[in-house]
Amino acid sequence: MSMKETSHNQALPSLEDSYTLSEQQIESYQQKGHIVLRQVASSSEIASYEPIITDLVKELNYHNKPIEQRDTYGKAFIQISNLWEKSEAARRFVLAKRFAKIAAELMGVEGVRIYHDQALYKEPHGGHTPWHQDQIYWPLDTDKTITMWMPLVPISEEVGSMTFASESHRIGYINKMVISDESHRTLAGYIEGKGYEKMSHGAMEAGDATFHAGWTLHSAPGNPTDSMRKVMTVIYYADGLRIAEPDSKARESDLKAWFPGAQPGDLAATAINPLVYSRSVRS
């Protein structure tokens, strides 16, 4: 690391202090399976981290075809994972105690580990993200998983944030469909049939965040604007969980990628799943 980069990182905001949640917010999250929290990171904090994260996304972007030549998944976003391993600044952001503590408190657990992070940058005129459940990819049999979805730029009503099917997390595993046109059609019909309320938190400022459970059905609109929709996500799970036997190709693949060297039945705690918050550990 160069001296310039070292001094730059020392100047970055720490993101270690607490964000206060009310009992009502925790209850609402547990009831609906999603919540929006305003200014989880301040505009000045985002101004420090956004350029660094965006530079990493540009550097690591694997798409080499124009949007119109990609499949539905490829049209939906540029997706880069585990930025925290690739730069000290991204590490500070992703492993921030402030975010992890919110995740633990919303789930009502003692501590949380990182599953992985993802930058999800929806390009100008990028496509919609079909209805899906995140946790069909994860070899974890639990309801104690949660994703933080934080825009690094303001998101207008026109672009929109995600749409959630409230209370759908209570069903657990619905089916094994990966994100696709087929998942969109099938799950839209499922939501209709069950009568779930579809809810979007609408426009968001940079540093606002939604949190949703791993089983909560959700989708996102396309990006009709000429600006990049820049979002950073972090997936957390309760500390102390064990890895489940993968029951699909997607889960087999995730087991190799995100719990390297571990086997079903092992504690879900490899070197790339750091414990980022524990109520019993004082800093």
Side-chain angles (χ1 to χ4, degrees):
M1 193 182 291
S2 68
M3 281 181 67
K4 185 179 171 190
E5 192 182 345
T6 305
S7 63
H8 179 59
N9 286 334
Q10 282 166 350
L12 286 167
S14 79
L15 307 172
E16 293 298 287
D17 54 325
S18 288
Y19 180 97
T20 305
L21 289 174
S22 68
E23 282 304 317
Q24 287 88 344
Q25 285 172 318
I26 293 168
E27 280 169 26
S28 176
Y29 167 78
Q30 292 182 356
Q31 172 72 23
K32 291 186 171 174
H34 61 89
I35 193 169
V36 67
L37 300 173
R38 304 295 176 184
Q39 295 304 279
V40 171
S42 69
S43 53
S44 64
E45 286 168 341
I46 294 294
S48 296
Y49 285 98
E50 179 274 319
I52 298 164
I53 292 170
T54 297
D55 283 350
L56 273 174
V57 171
K58 279 183 189 156
E59 184 190 322
L60 300 167
N61 180 18
Y62 51 88
H63 282 308
N64 54 12
K65 289 181 184 170
I67 282 182
E68 59 276 9
Q69 290 174 25
R70 300 182 208 155
D71 64 10
T72 298
Y73 196 104
K75 285 175 180 157
F77 33 60
I78 300 167
Q79 178 180 0
I80 311 290
S81 300
N82 267 27
L83 295 185
W84 76 268
E85 291 188 290
K86 299 173 175 81
S87 113
E88 177 56 32
R91 180 189 180 89
R92 282 194 194 200
F93 186 88
V94 171
L95 306 190
K97 188 186 282 184
R98 184 192 304 163
F99 307 157
K101 183 170 184 271
I102 293 170
E105 289 179 350
L106 287 174
M107 291 193 289
V109 301
E110 179 75 18
V112 290
R113 290 182 178 272
I114 295 273
Y115 184 53
H116 61 82
D117 69 52
Q118 287 180 322
L120 298 176
Y121 278 37
K122 198 177 285 278
E123 294 154 283
H125 310 288
H128 75 124
T129 309
W131 283 108
H132 65 283
Q133 290 179 297
D134 292 338
Q135 206 168 316
I136 64 150
Y137 291 93
W138 311 340
L140 294 166
D141 289 339
T142 177
D143 61 355
K144 299 295 189 242
T145 63
I146 192 168
T147 297
M148 179 184 82
W149 190 94
M150 181 182 283
L152 306 177
V153 291
I155 294 185
S156 66
E157 202 68 51
E158 186 188 11
V159 177
S161 51
M162 289 187 293
T163 300
F164 301 100
S166 293
E167 301 189 29
S168 57
H169 65 304
R170 291 163 178 259
I171 300 283
Y173 210 145
I174 294 167
N175 64 36
K176 296 178 187 177
M177 283 186 179
V178 295
I179 298 175
S180 60
D181 293 331
E182 189 190 2
S183 81
H184 195 67
R185 279 193 304 275
T186 304
L187 293 172
Y190 182 86
I191 291 161
E192 210 62 45
K194 288 280 188 186
Y196 289 130
E197 171 200 36
K198 286 186 286 196
M199 187 174 173
S200 168
H201 297 292
M204 293 173 71
E205 289 301 319
D208 290 350
T210 60
F211 286 79
H212 68 273
W215 291 129
T216 302
L217 283 164
H218 58 288
S219 64
N223 178 3
T225 72
D226 294 328
S227 306
M228 182 79 83
R229 188 214 71 181
K230 302 176 182 180
V231 167
M232 193 62 194
T233 67
V234 185
I235 304 162
Y236 305 91
Y237 61 90
D239 182 34
L241 298 181
R242 292 197 176 270
I243 298 166
E245 187 70 52
D247 54 0
S248 66
K249 286 273 186 286
R251 285 183 156 190
E252 279 173 21
S253 164
D254 257 36
L255 172 55
K256 288 195 189 94
W258 308 120
F259 295 129
Q263 302 297 321
D266 290 352
L267 272 174
T270 78
I272 62 166
N273 314 115
L275 180 69
V276 274
Y277 170 75
S278 175
R279 201 167 44 193
S280 56
V281 177
R282 297 273 172 253
S283 56

